Amino acid sequence: MAPQEVIYGKTDYKLLKEQFVLKGIPSSAGIALGNAIVLQPESLISPSIKIPSEEISNELLKFEKAHTNLVHQFMQSLHKVRSLGSNVIAILETNLLILTDPILYDGIRNRIKDGFSVESAIVSEFDNQRKFFLNASDALLQERANEIDNIKRKLLASLKDQSIDYEKSQQSIVVAQALTTTDIVNFKEAGILAIITEVGGVTSHASILARSFDIPAVIGVHNATDVIKNGTELIVDGFAGIVVVKPKKDVRDVYLQKIEALEEHKRNLGALAKLPSETFDGKRISLLGNVNFLDDVRSGEINGADGYGLVRSENLVMELKGFPDEETQYKWYREICERAYPKPVTIRVFDLGSDKFVEGLPIKEFNPALGLRGIRFLLSRQDIFKAQLRALLRASVNKNLKIMLPMVTSLHEVEISRKILEKCKTELQQDSVLFDNRIALGVMIETPAAAIISDGLAKVADFFSIGTNDLTQYTLAADRNNELVSDIFDDFHPSVLRLIDFIIKTAHKNGVTVSICGELAGHAAATQLLIGMDVDELSVAPSLLLELKNRIRSLTYSEAKLIAEDILNSNDYFEVKTKLEKAIGRHSITELNEI
Ligand code: PEP
Ligand code: MG
C-alpha cells in the first residue's frame, strides 16, 4: 500500500469486525499504539457530611493546603506552556481563574465553618457553580460545567495528596474518566502517546490542548476505565474516534503501517502543516479543505487545514440514494463539526440537479444545468429544505458552522432562505433546542447573475464563496462535463478572471469575506493571481493543501498584485496564458495542471 493510501484510506471496519472496539468521539487527530495506564475514578462524596465543631479549624487548614498546592500546580503548568502561544496560555489561565474564584473559595470556607467536612464543602460549592453553567443556554458554557467538575476532582485528589505520577505514563496511553488542562500539560511533558476519556466534549479545554499538543485523543468512551485494564495493548484512532482493545496481529500491522506513513508524511511536507499560510511578505490567506465525505476532515487535519470551506452535503443524499431524515443529517453534520472544532466548517445545503442527479428525484429536465438546481430545488421543496436547516442549526451548538446557498441568481432567493432559517430557529427555540443564533448564511457566487449583482448580495449574505467550476460553465456557456467543449471550458478565460476580480472588490467594499472553492483555487498557476486579486480564503481538496501552502509561502503579495493587475488587463486567453507562464517560469499551464 502506498503511504498516501494508508493515511487517507477510510477506516477499514471489515478488518475490525472481529475486534473489541470501543467507540467514542474523535477529539484530536492521530494514531497511537501502546499500553494503557488507567487512572481510576474517585468514588462519590456526599455534599452533606457533618463534622464536630472542634475539627473545623483543622478542616480549614486541610483545604487551604490542598488549594495552595493545586494553584501551585496550575501555575507551574502555565509556566511550562509560556512559549506555546496565547491560545494555550488563555486556556490554563481560565482554569486558574475558576480555581481561585473568591466566591468559590469563600463559599467552601464558609461551608466548612458551618460544620461540613472539607470534601463535602468542596463538592457542594463546586456543584453549585457547575449547575449555573449547566443551565446556560449555550453549549460552550455548558462544556465549562465539565471543566468545573474536573477541577473539583483535582482539588479532592490534592486533599488526599494523591498526585498522578506523570512520569510513569511515558510512551503509554492514558485512560481516565476526565482530565484537567494541567494533567494534559504534564502528560505531554512525560511523553504520553494518546488519551482516552469517558467524559468531555470536543470543545473542552482539555481537548483543545490535546489538539494543540498533537496528542491523539478519543473522548466520550463510556466505562473506559472499567472496561480497559492496566497494561492492555490499545490502538487509539483519533481520526475515527475508536479504540481497539488487544489488537490482533493483522490489525496491529495495518495500524503500524498507518503510524509509519503518518510519520513519513510529517517528515516530508508535514512540517508545513503547522506553519501559517502567509506570503513571504506576511499576507495571510486561510487555507480550507473541501469535504465530500467524513474522511476528508481527517485528511484536512493531517494537512493543516485552517477550516473547511465547502462541505458538499448532497453527497449524503447520493450515498444514501434518497433524502436522509433530520436526525441522520444532524449526526453527520455534528460529526464533521466536532472533528473540525474549533475550526470553522461551511456546509453547503443540498446542491442537487444538473450533474448531481439523485435517483428518485421527481425531475427530468431537458437542460438540467439550467433547471431546477441548487437553491431553486430547495425552495420548491421546502419540506426538504427545512429538515436540512433544522439539522444544520442543531449541529451548530459549538458555533463553528456556517451555512451556504448554491446556485443563487437573485437576492430574493437569499431573503426567502433566511426567512425559512429564522422560522426553523423559532421552532427549535420553542422546543428548547440549542443552536448558534448568530449562524452565518453565505452565498455561492457561481452564476454570472450572482457575480453581477454581488453588490446587492453582499448586503443580504454574511460571506461569499466563488464556485469557479460553475461560474466558468455558465459564463462561457460550456458544459463542465462535456468533452466536446472542454477546450472552451477554461477558468483562466479573461471573462471569468475579471468576474472573480469584480466579486472580490465588491465584497470587500461591503465588508464581506470571499473564499474560492472551485477547482481554480488549487490550480498551481492560479495561486499568485488569486492572491494578487486579494482573495481571503482558498478551499481545495485536502490533499492539495500543503503544496498550495508551500506556493503561498514562497511568493510575495506585492509581486502577486502587479501580476494580477497585468493579467486582468488581457482580453485574450492566450495572452493570459503567456503572461502566467512568464510569471511562474514554467512551460505550460497544462503541464502545471498536472502537478
Ligand atoms: C463550483 O461550482 O465551483 C463548486 C465548488 O461547486 P460544485 O463543483 O460542487 O458545483
Ligand atoms: Mg457549483
Side-chain angles (χ1 to χ4, degrees), residues 310 312 348 356 373 444 446 467-470 480 517-518:
L310 168 67
R312 291 183 164 101
R348 173 174 77 185
K356 292 150 185 167
R373 187 191 159 178
M444 280 199 79
E446 52 182 349
T468 50
N469 308 338
D470 280 312
R480 60 194 266 189
C517 61

Side-chain angles (χ1 to χ4, degrees), residues 492 523-525 588-595:
F492 285 96
H523 197 301
S588 83
I589 293 183
T590 341
E591 194 181 294
L592 282 168
N593 234 342
E594 281 151 20
I595 287 176

Side-chain angles (χ1 to χ4, degrees), residues 291-293 310-324 329 332-333 336 346-353 355-359 361 373-375 377-378 384 388 404-406 444 446 470 480:
V291 175
N292 292 324
F293 303 100
L310 168 67
V311 178
R312 291 183 164 101
S313 69
E314 60 278 2
N315 281 330
L316 190 60
V317 183
M318 293 195 273
E319 209 174 73
L320 298 173
K321 297 196 167 51
F323 289 101
Q329 289 186 59
W332 201 69
Y333 305 147
I336 292 176
T346 299
I347 300 185
R348 173 174 77 185
V349 291
F350 301 142
D351 184 16
L352 293 162
D355 56 322
K356 292 150 185 167
F357 182 73
V358 179
E359 253 176 86
L361 266 190
R373 187 191 159 178
I375 194 64
F377 168 73
L378 288 173
I384 292 173
Q388 184 171 31
M404 183 157 80
L405 308 175
M444 280 199 79
E446 52 182 349
D470 280 312
R480 60 194 266 189

